[in-house]
Amino acid sequence: MRLTNFFIPTLKEDPADAVVPSHKLMLRAGMIRQLTSGVYSYLPLGLIVFRKIERIIREEMNAIGGNEFLLPALSPSSLWAETNRLDAFGDIMFRIKNRDLVLAPTHEEIFTDIAKPNLISYKDLPKMWYQIQVKFRNEARPKSGVLRGRQFTMKDAYSFDASWEGLDKSYELQDSAYRKIFSRCGLKFFSVSASSGAMGGNQSEEFMVESVAGEDIIVLSEDNSYFSNIEVAVSYKEPVKRKNTDLSIEEIYTPNIKSIEELSEFLNIKDKSRLAKSRVFVKPAESKDAIDEYILALVCGDDEVNVSKLQSIFGANIRPGHPEELKFITGAEAGSIGPVGLSNKNVKIIADNRLKDADELISGANKDDYHIKNIDIKRDVSSIEYFDIRIVKEGEETIDRKSKLKVTKAIEVGHIFKLGTKYSESLGAKYLDKDGKENPIIMGSYGIGVERIAAAYIEQNYDENGIIWEGEISPFKIIVIYLNTENKDIKLTADNLYEKLSNSGYEVLYDDREEVRPGFKFNDADLIGIPYQIIIGEKNYKNGKYEIKIRSTGKRILIDSSKIFDEISEIVK
């Protein structure tokens, strides 16, 4: 491709509204342009990269028996209501006003709707279906370029099986394919156990690229034996030891105390583990005839409640209680809420495992400006249940106590779920087994973000001059640069070299711009990041030489013009 025919609107400076490296460089290299908040136009250079990623995905999906579909982006909202996800997605789902339609953020319902009348016998199973399609999510705060947008391209795949063992096999096939895809795309990645969230299911795994640009928080052990999203991460933390002092509970006046830090300072207590923190959550009623459920979650004062863990226990629609609700539920405002006496008010009380049977605790009295001390959970809180509901912290030990944990940021590039029968039961997708018995189809769901792969690659492969492409997703392998001179033979030589390289099967970009100074050509070549630069200048041309610059290392090599094809073939290998 000649640059005079190719649209690459490069920028000299970082755009003011871009923060993370991939966003800056995708804009500066002319890969994308913003149309509106969270929505981007893909320009020719960017589209080449995205299409290469799609090709790799297709090859690996087809290799495990996948059938490619292309489903509508629009779907009827009634279909989503059948699985209760119309409410679960909430405002993040785009809805068409005055029409009973939504823009799909994912396609479980639509694929299941196709499976329902067609996969009706065990003989029709298993099946692996996928598509590469545009998705829409109404992100409240889109940012970081294509890493968090309102419109994006996703490969979503779905497995349909007659047995749980079959689901295990489908899941393993996808897991293996994902690892091949990310490896072929040149990513340094790892997988972590994760929460299924609004997708549902009983097992899920995320594929991550460590990066300061990431919005996911992940937990890694120092010995690389443990990887997890912080939403489900576990650690070893000393439980609060029982003292068995049998002290009577006592109400204490704590004026204007709203936080654990303020309470610790007011009471001059340094050990915050015994200052039990109470958070109130609401599980909205699923029908007009039902009533909301109230949950009080109790953790140590030096811990925080992990909402994702609560969602795995009580359902994805659980939410924190609103300020105006707290008074109604507990009798007090935030900062004065506690577990004593709430069991009589139809509030379900749960506590973190660290607090199991603990005593001599201090928590809110459910009366503004008052707390209670000497709380004995065994004695004073009836019908309490214990779960792991705390957020893991940096430096804590792994469960086996063999290593320390590190908390860092990462970009999620893929996510796989064992959905089970959530969608098939909701939508009535059933099959007949060998005995003629009707059973719900067992499903899996598997997603990859196409643009996220490109952005994650750039986050791992750039320097102060621009992007550093290598491997299969590089938009071109070679860029030919001729330096402007009055010697027209140099331009003719560059033209011929470009044609011969292209005809030999190389992906070549040719900077044939005549009015552009050498410095600008070099800067653009480094910014765009093509792996190998062949530079034809007057001095080397007179000596029968070409200069090759390797973008990743900056190494420069002089090669006899008569040996260019042998040398470039060896270098590219």
Side-chain angles (χ1 to χ4, degrees):
M1 177 64 70
R2 293 173 179 266
L3 257 180
T4 51
N5 296 329
F6 198 47
F7 182 64
I8 308 183
T10 57
L11 303 174
K12 295 179 184 179
E13 304 294 335
D14 290 337
D17 59 344
V19 178
V20 302
S22 59
H23 189 193
K24 294 177 183 178
L25 290 170
M26 283 180 137
L27 288 168
R28 288 193 57 211
M31 293 178 66
I32 61 173
R33 283 294 182 270
Q34 181 172 304
L35 177 62
T36 187
S37 181
V39 181
Y40 288 85
S41 299
Y42 301 154
L43 307 188
L45 186 70
L47 195 60
I48 290 173
V49 174
F50 301 149
R51 291 288 183 257
K52 287 192 169 191
I53 293 169
E54 290 178 11
R55 176 179 56 79
I56 292 170
I57 291 171
R58 282 191 175 92
E59 289 175 0
E60 297 300 338
M61 287 295 102
N62 293 343
I64 61 172
N67 295 171
E68 185 173 4
F69 288 61
L70 184 60
L71 304 187
L74 281 171
S75 58
S77 57
S78 57
L79 192 60
W80 296 81
E82 290 186 56
T83 59
N84 294 320
R85 290 213 298 174
L86 195 62
D87 293 329
F89 271 109
D91 292 338
I92 203 170
M93 180 181 282
F94 283 105
R95 308 185 189 202
I96 309 301
K97 286 186 177 180
N98 303 320
R99 295 287 188 276
D100 189 25
L101 295 169
V102 301
L103 287 171
T106 181
H107 275 76
E108 280 79 4
E109 281 82 356
I110 297 86
F111 267 104
T112 307
D113 191 59
I114 293 174
K116 180 179 177 179
N118 292 292
L119 305 182
I120 58 176
S121 167
Y122 73 95
K123 295 179 182 179
D124 300 321
L125 302 170
K127 285 290 185 291
M128 190 82 75
W129 296 347
Y130 78 96
Q131 67 168 342
I132 299 175
Q133 169 65 299
V134 175
K135 300 290 192 292
F136 301 88
R137 294 186 186 176
N138 188 21
E139 292 283 355
R141 293 175 297 278
K143 60 180 182 178
S144 302
V146 298
L147 285 175
R148 186 174 177 178
R150 289 175 168 150
Q151 177 178 319
F152 54 94
T153 311
M154 188 168 79
K155 185 285 300 178
D156 49 326
Y158 305 87
S159 61
F160 302 87
D161 286 281
S163 68
W164 293 99
E165 292 78 14
L167 173 60
D168 291 341
K169 183 177 179 181
S170 296
Y171 190 88
E172 289 167 6
L173 284 171
Q174 287 283 341
D175 182 274
S176 176
Y178 273 42
R179 295 176 189 278
K180 291 177 182 177
I181 289 166
F182 299 134
S183 295
R184 289 180 62 184
C185 289
L187 298 182
K188 305 177 189 74
F189 70 95
F190 52 88
S191 63
V192 301
S193 55
S195 168
S196 298
M199 305 297 288
N202 57 10
Q203 182 180 345
S204 75
E205 184 179 8
E206 291 172 333
F207 293 84
M208 295 287 196
V209 171
E210 188 173 358
S211 170
V212 294
E215 292 194 321
D216 283 87
I217 307 298
I218 56 170
V219 179
L220 318 173
S221 62
E222 291 178 352
D223 63 0
N224 291 321
S225 65
Y226 180 74
F227 303 88
S228 178
N229 192 300
I230 200 164
E231 294 176 340
V232 296
V234 296
S235 66
Y236 176 81
K237 183 75 173 178
E238 287 284 349
V240 178
K241 294 180 180 178
R242 185 173 177 82
K243 295 186 177 182
N244 287 311
T245 50
D246 200 27
L247 297 173
S248 299
I249 61 172
E250 181 181 338
E251 198 173 83
I252 50 177
Y253 182 51
T254 52
N256 299 315
I257 300 300
K258 300 296 183 183
S259 69
I260 291 295
E261 288 71 23
E262 291 172 346
L263 185 63
S264 172
E265 185 176 348
F266 182 80
L267 299 177
N268 195 26
I269 296 175
K270 294 182 180 180
D271 182 8
K272 295 178 183 177
S273 65
R274 291 189 182 272
L275 305 179
K277 182 184 298 180
S278 298
R279 292 277 309 278
V280 174
F281 292 84
V282 178
K283 184 176 182 181
E286 295 184 359
S287 67
K288 293 181 180 179
D289 299 329
I291 59 173
D292 294 344
E293 294 181 49
Y294 306 128
I295 299 110
L296 181 135
L298 201 64
V299 295
C300 293
D302 54 357
D303 285 330
E304 297 295 336
V305 175
N306 188 321
V307 177
S308 293
K309 290 181 179 179
L310 287 185
Q311 289 175 333
S312 69
I313 300 168
F314 296 104
N317 61 339
I318 189 174
R319 61 167 175 80
H322 301 314
E324 63 273 14
E325 294 174 309
L326 297 183
K327 195 85 171 179
F328 169 76
I329 297 169
T330 69
E333 296 178 353
S336 298
I337 294 170
V340 176
L342 280 187
S343 55
N344 298 326
K345 297 185 178 181
N346 296 319
V347 178
K348 184 177 183 63
I349 302 175
I350 66 170
D352 183 68
N353 291 329
R354 285 188 69 197
L355 287 170
K356 185 172 177 60
D357 297 336
D359 59 0
E360 285 200 33
L361 301 178
I362 298 174
S363 195
N366 297 317
K367 183 167 68 172
D368 289 343
D369 295 330
Y370 284 88
H371 281 73
I372 293 175
K373 69 177 182 179
N374 302 328
I375 297 172
D376 183 336
I377 287 185
K378 287 180 66 176
R379 180 192 65 196
D380 302 320
V381 185
S382 59
S383 303
I384 191 169
E385 294 183 55
Y386 296 95
F387 301 91
D388 170 26
I389 58 171
R390 61 183 293 273
I391 297 175
V392 167
K393 296 178 183 176
E394 176 96 17
E396 292 177 352
E397 294 179 310
T398 54
I399 287 291
D400 60 12
R401 307 195 69 180
K402 292 182 178 179
S403 184
K404 292 289 184 69
L405 295 176
K406 170 188 174 184
V407 179
T408 187
K409 289 185 175 182
I411 299 167
E412 177 193 330
V413 290
H415 202 161
I416 60 178
F417 308 82
K418 286 185 178 180
L419 295 177
T421 58
K422 171 181 170 69
Y423 297 92
S424 55
E425 287 183 340
S426 297
L427 298 171
K430 300 177 180 180
Y431 74 95
L432 295 177
D433 63 19
K434 292 180 180 180
D435 300 320
K437 182 181 177 182
E438 202 172 56
N439 300 279
I441 297 172
I442 300 170
M443 293 175 57
S445 176
Y446 318 92
I448 283 179
V450 173
E451 297 94 341
R452 276 181 168 239
I453 289 178
Y457 176 91
I458 293 170
E459 291 290 336
Q460 292 186 327
N461 298 275
Y462 72 95
D463 60 18
E464 66 276 10
N465 297 316
I467 304 169
I468 302 173
W469 291 111
E470 289 184 309
E472 290 191 57
I473 68 171
S474 175
F476 298 92
K477 291 294 184 292
I478 299 168
I479 180 168
V480 174
I481 304 169
Y482 94 91
L483 305 184
N484 297 347
T485 174
E486 294 180 1
N487 188 340
K488 294 185 178 181
D489 288 341
I490 294 179
K491 175 67 163 58
L492 182 62
T493 299
D495 286 345
N496 291 335
L497 178 61
Y498 162 66
E499 295 293 341
K500 289 179 181 178
L501 287 169
S502 298
N503 292 335
S504 297
Y506 292 106
E507 297 170 315
V508 187
L509 183 64
Y510 175 28
D511 192 343
D512 60 339
R513 297 174 295 178
E514 294 187 4
E515 304 300 325
V516 177
R517 296 197 299 269
F520 285 106
K521 289 190 174 187
F522 293 147
N523 289 341
D524 276 353
D526 282 346
L527 173 61
I528 295 168
I530 308 307
Y532 306 104
Q533 303 173 12
I534 301 179
I535 303 163
I536 305 175
E538 188 163 12
K539 179 181 177 181
N540 289 326
Y541 175 77
K542 288 180 179 179
N543 295 323
K545 303 283 187 181
Y546 295 143
E547 181 181 6
I548 296 179
K549 177 184 174 182
I550 300 173
R551 174 67 180 90
S552 60
T553 63
K555 182 179 179 181
R556 296 174 182 269
I557 306 167
L558 284 179
I559 295 174
D560 289 339
S561 56
S562 61
K563 299 179 180 178
I564 183 64
F565 282 92
D566 291 337
E567 293 290 344
I568 199 66
S569 175
E570 195 62 33
I571 290 171
V572 171
K573 279 183 182 178

